[in-house]
Amino acid sequence: MSYRKTFRLVCGFAGGSAVLVFAAAAAESRGHFGTNTRGETSHWGGIPAIQAAQPAQTWPAGSHTAGPSGRTWDFNWDKRDPTTLLNGKKKESLSEDPSTEQENGKPKATRNILLIRHSQYNLSGTGDMERILTPLGREQAELTGQRLATLGLKYDILIHSTMARATETAHIISKHLSGVELVSCDLLREGAPIEPVPPVTHWQPDAVQYHEDGARIEAAFRRYIHRADPKQKEDSYEVIVCHANVIRYFVCRALQFPPEGWLRMGLNNGSITWLTIRPSGRVALRTLGDSGFMPPDKLTRT
């Protein structure tokens, strides 16, 4: 049976676009579209679906996947690479063998940072103190606290933004994490970290806000997102309750992605984003905005 008849038969039975593309690709690879046996142009090549199924003619051979960006991983992104720290010391200040000092200066523990977005809050509040959690928001915080507790991790500290919605969320979560120290920090307040690319029309802070908020949120990143101190012997688990913009910016910076891409991600209220920082300076994103522990009717993104 000819390929043209096979093509019509298959499409007649299936009637699906997937079969159409498959059959078109098979026929094209044997020259049955585009030119006929006499070297004349075939009318089949003019069908849009057939054209879409064919590889772009401008792609070089073997380049059907995205190429590397050319950027390499900066292992000294947090300025705590022990090699660079040792090289920066004056020779006369070295108190022991350089190789021994370098080994002693190496981080040995892994830091796990669990970034929690605050729960749903009252959007109609005129100021921060009026933007407290809604009844649903308090339920979300309880569910997040329960989730953190069931993970069975030994949490070292719970840090939260000083904004009302984050503070309230943190206090509800802390009830499920008995004995974990609760600390507040102004640097973690919500803001505009950097002008997003591509731009959006529904949210347009002015240049002054980007300038002020950006410096503060970057300072928060440098304070909290880095490899462990060499004196830290055991892996740590730290919880930070803050805001969507702050978390998304942290993720971009930690993974060495373009920071201006932060607004391309979305986070549910009460969701968990988990960053792991290895002693070598490698960073892994274990979860981004995990809220699968909440029932569907409890999910919000306000």
Side-chain angles (χ1 to χ4, degrees):
M1 183 182 293
S2 69
Y3 282 102
R4 290 179 185 273
K5 291 181 179 179
T6 303
F7 173 74
R8 294 194 187 98
L9 181 61
V10 171
C11 288
F13 279 121
S17 59
V19 175
L20 174 63
V21 171
F22 174 80
E28 172 64 20
S29 66
R30 293 170 173 79
H32 289 277
F33 294 142
T35 58
N36 59 24
T37 56
R38 295 187 298 276
E40 300 169 341
T41 301
S42 169
H43 66 279
W44 290 95
I47 300 176
I50 302 302
Q51 292 177 334
Q54 301 179 53
Q57 299 302 314
T58 57
W59 287 9
S63 64
H64 296 277
T65 58
S69 66
R71 295 182 61 185
T72 58
W73 181 261
D74 177 13
F75 280 94
N76 195 31
W77 59 273
D78 59 352
K79 309 306 178 189
R80 295 167 187 254
D81 185 333
T83 303
T84 60
L85 292 174
L86 181 64
N87 291 340
K89 290 185 177 181
K90 295 181 179 180
K91 291 183 178 180
E92 59 269 22
S93 67
L94 297 177
S95 58
E96 54 187 310
D97 179 73
S99 60
T100 303
E101 186 165 351
Q102 181 174 333
E103 185 63 31
N104 293 337
K106 283 184 178 180
K108 300 172 179 60
T110 294
R111 293 185 68 218
N112 293 275
I113 302 169
L114 289 84
L115 301 161
I116 314 297
R117 189 191 175 194
H118 60 78
S119 302
Q120 185 191 63
Y121 67 101
N122 174 28
L123 289 170
S124 61
T126 56
D128 176 54
M129 296 310 297
E130 293 182 9
R131 292 174 182 168
I132 59 176
L133 300 187
T134 63
L136 174 56
R138 290 189 285 275
E139 286 187 63
Q140 292 170 338
E142 294 283 359
L143 290 168
T144 302
Q146 292 169 14
R147 173 59 176 170
L148 291 172
T150 58
L151 290 176
L153 304 174
K154 182 183 177 182
Y155 299 106
D156 297 89
I157 194 169
L158 197 168
I159 309 165
H160 63 87
S161 156
T162 53
M163 298 188 82
R165 54 190 182 271
T167 299
E168 189 175 359
T169 301
H171 280 270
I172 293 174
I173 289 175
S174 69
K175 295 189 301 182
H176 299 273
L177 308 179
S178 179
V180 177
E181 182 183 7
L182 196 62
V183 178
S184 64
C185 178
D186 281 331
L187 294 178
L188 294 168
R189 294 172 70 89
E190 183 63 302
I194 185 173
E195 190 170 358
V197 176
V200 294
T201 57
H202 64 277
W203 184 72
Q204 295 180 315
D206 57 32
V208 173
Q209 185 175 353
Y210 280 123
H211 179 71
E212 295 178 349
D213 290 354
R216 172 178 55 77
I217 296 171
E218 173 63 20
F221 173 81
R222 297 185 185 193
R223 173 177 290 188
Y224 296 113
I225 313 298
H226 55 78
R227 77 193 78 189
D229 187 275
K231 297 178 182 178
Q232 182 176 323
K233 303 302 180 183
E234 298 181 355
D235 294 351
S236 58
Y237 296 87
E238 303 158 50
V239 179
I240 299 178
V241 179
C242 53
H243 309 270
N245 295 358
V246 176
I247 294 171
R248 292 180 287 189
Y249 178 79
F250 280 11
V251 168
C252 287
R253 286 282 285 110
L255 297 180
Q256 299 186 24
F257 292 163
E260 64 272 16
W262 64 271
L263 198 51
R264 303 170 198 173
M265 296 176 277
L267 300 173
N268 287 336
N269 295 112
S271 61
I272 302 172
T273 296
W274 186 338
L275 284 171
T276 296
I277 307 175
R278 302 293 182 190
S280 64
R282 293 181 182 272
V283 180
L285 180 63
R286 296 190 60 171
T287 64
L288 175 65
D290 176 28
S291 54
F293 52 87
M294 293 190 188
D297 62 339
K298 303 298 182 184
L299 296 175
T300 61
R301 196 180 291 181
T302 56

